[in-house]
Amino acid sequence: DIVMTQSPDSLAVSLGERATINCKSSQSVLYSSNNNNYLAWYQQKPGQPPKLLIYWASFRESGVPDRFSGSGSGTDFTLTISSLQAEDVAVYYCQQYYRTPLTFGQGTKVEIK
Amino acid sequence: EVQLVQSGAGMKKPGESLKISCKGSGYSFANYWIAWVRQMPGKGLEWMGIIYPGDSDTRYSPSFQGQVTISADKSINTAYLQWSSLKASDTATYYCARGLFEMAGDFWGQGTLVTVS
């Protein structure tokens, strides 16, 4: 299985400041034939299902605020919230869909400092 | 509007059977993979398996192979997850999601809480 490791496990950021979450995969999720990274980011708030934020590592899902951005390639990826808002408090997961079984990172809890 | 609506919460005893459902609307149900994802209390997300309703092609995570059965009825736009003999360790919230096979999961059901006690 491809192991997804996120860091940190939790972080506290002041309102309006930048939050950065890292995700590392145990093997590359870049498919060379189409040059796509099979990597997504989700946001999950308490009592709610996950919500897709980013797919193909850097494409923002429709309706997602542009303060959310994804970057990286191969095995190392980053989710950045450029200016943290109160409604961004949640757990964030990365996930590879390169190979079955699809696997998620352990989650990163984002709170307000 | 794309929607996935799951069946309600259930409380069962160990050894009992259970089948939960996920009904899709607002898109061509037969032409998109539907995945099931487990979230145990206070824990992360685990991909259990996936089905293509158009031809019932089904794939399982090795961790869940033989433990659950995934099925679908494209005539009523519904996917299912079932257990033949529940254990206490099956207590979790189960989500269905569109995609999650060669694509990200873009729409998710609201979740079904299964409690086995």
Side-chain angles (χ1 to χ4, degrees), chain B residues 1 8-9 12 22 25 41 43-44 49-50 59-60 84 103 110 113:
Chain B
E1 178 195 7
K12 291 286 190 179
C22 169
S25 61
K43 302 299 184 183
I50 199 156
R59 320 284 174 91
Y60 291 94
S84 59
M103 62 177 279
Q110 82 277 20
L113 175 61

Side-chain angles (χ1 to χ4, degrees), chain A residues 100 102, chain B residues 4 22 27-36 47 49-60 70 72 79 96-107:
Chain A
T100 61
L102 277 65
Chain B
L4 294 172
C22 169
Y27 74 101
S28 180
F29 183 79
N31 294 334
Y32 285 82
W33 293 87
I34 290 284
W36 287 96
W47 185 88
I50 199 156
I51 189 164
Y52 190 76
D55 61 6
S56 292
D57 185 5
T58 308
R59 320 284 174 91
Y60 291 94
I70 295 171
C96 63
R98 191 180 79 162
L100 282 181
F101 182 63
E102 298 180 343
M103 62 177 279
D106 56 358
F107 290 92

